[in-house]
């Protein structure tokens, strides 16, 4: 019975019809415009969401330790978003990831909290001599590069790929070539 309940579509579909997925759930097909409308209608959050920067720092250090132990050359990348955009205020009409349960959080608060996480990554990279590509500071918070809160459109994906490639070429490949040439 347990196997049947956990592995067959009919049970999942019945469960989802009784308990519809939350706004944060991404289905196989998603109508982001509908989700944006649903989030816009939510009441504003009164208190700030609680975050745990220490747990994030611990997890990031564990990840770095595993990579270093395996001799994996690591490049950390900060998380970019369009929250609180000064470049393109119209992009807020595309935001749907600002919900937190049955309330929505302000873009300014979310942007501030995301920057706190990015700052943890920046500090760890700086103190650990790990390469950091600061995408959050490089890509404009604009519909030109994003199709919602934090997902790239084609131009954004191209920008990310090209700029990260240039960064790796400059920081890793050029350094290796120079070291090989000196030896």
């Amino acid at each position: 019975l347990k196997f049947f309940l956990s592995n067959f579509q009919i049970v999942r579909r019945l469960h989802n019809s009784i308990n519809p997925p939350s706004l944060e759930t991404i289905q196989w097909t998603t109508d982001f415009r509908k989700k944006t409308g649903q989030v816009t209608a939510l009441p504003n959050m009164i208190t700030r969401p609680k975050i745990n920067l220490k747990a994030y720092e611990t997890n990031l250090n564990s990840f770095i330790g595993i990579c270093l132990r395996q001799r994996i050359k690591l490049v950390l990348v900060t998380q970019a978003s369009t929250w609180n955009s000064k470049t393109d205020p119209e992009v807020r009409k595309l935001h749907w990831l600002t919900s937190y349960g049955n309330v929505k959080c302000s873009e300014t608060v979310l942007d501030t909290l995301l920057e706190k996480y990015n700052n943890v990554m920046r500090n760890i990279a700086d103190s650990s001599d790990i390469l950091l590509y600061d995408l959050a500071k490089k890509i404009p918070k604009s519909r030109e590069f994003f199709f919602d809160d934090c997902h790239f459109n084609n131009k954004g994906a191209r920008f990310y790929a090209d700029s990260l490639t240039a960064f790796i070429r400059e920081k890793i490949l050029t350094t290796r070539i120079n070291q090989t040439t000196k030896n």
Side-chain angles (χ1 to χ4, degrees), residues 3-181:
F3 177 78
F4 175 78
L5 292 175
S6 64
N7 288 294
F8 289 94
Q9 283 290 323
I10 194 159
V11 176
R12 274 188 246 147
R13 288 177 190 256
L14 181 61
H15 178 269
N16 286 342
S17 67
I18 295 168
N19 302 311
S22 71
L23 287 168
E24 293 87 5
T25 303
I26 298 176
Q27 303 295 317
W28 283 106
T29 59
T30 303
D31 183 355
F32 292 104
R33 292 189 199 285
K34 181 180 176 187
K35 284 189 175 197
T36 301
Q38 290 172 322
V39 170
T40 302
L42 291 174
N44 291 322
M45 181 180 240
I46 297 169
T47 59
R48 283 188 142 186
K50 291 186 169 113
I51 61 172
N52 189 340
L53 295 174
K54 190 64 182 161
Y56 177 67
E57 180 181 6
T58 299
N59 289 338
L60 197 51
N61 278 320
S62 296
F63 175 73
I64 290 168
I66 291 167
C67 290
L68 293 175
R69 180 76 176 130
Q70 298 299 319
R71 294 189 179 109
I72 296 170
K73 189 68 175 172
L74 184 63
V75 177
L76 298 175
V77 180
T78 56
Q79 176 64 52
S81 81
T82 57
W83 294 327
N84 204 27
S85 175
K86 308 293 185 242
T87 309
D88 182 4
E90 290 294 305
V91 75
R92 77 174 12 102
K93 293 178 181 174
L94 303 174
H95 291 169
W96 63 279
L97 293 170
T98 57
S99 68
Y100 192 79
N102 293 326
V103 293
K104 68 179 171 200
C105 192
S106 98
E107 289 181 39
T108 305
V109 168
L110 290 173
D111 190 45
T112 301
L113 296 177
L114 181 57
E115 265 309 290
K116 287 183 181 199
Y117 280 102
N118 283 338
N119 283 334
V120 167
M121 182 180 283
R122 289 176 186 116
N123 291 337
I124 287 174
D126 189 47
S127 66
S128 304
D129 199 29
I130 300 289
L131 288 176
L132 174 84
Y133 180 67
D134 205 341
L135 179 65
K137 289 188 177 179
K138 297 201 184 300
I139 193 165
K141 295 176 172 237
S142 162
R143 289 172 292 168
E144 184 179 355
F145 298 96
F146 292 87
F147 72 81
D148 68 2
D149 308 55
C150 62
H151 298 103
F152 302 125
N153 59 24
N154 288 339
K155 187 172 182 180
R158 236 178 272 113
F159 175 90
Y160 177 37
D162 292 346
S163 61
L164 181 60
T165 299
F167 177 82
I168 290 170
R169 189 174 287 134
E170 174 194 341
K171 299 291 185 183
I172 296 175
L173 299 179
T174 305
T175 304
R176 283 188 183 163
I177 290 169
N178 290 341
Q179 287 173 348
T180 305
T181 308

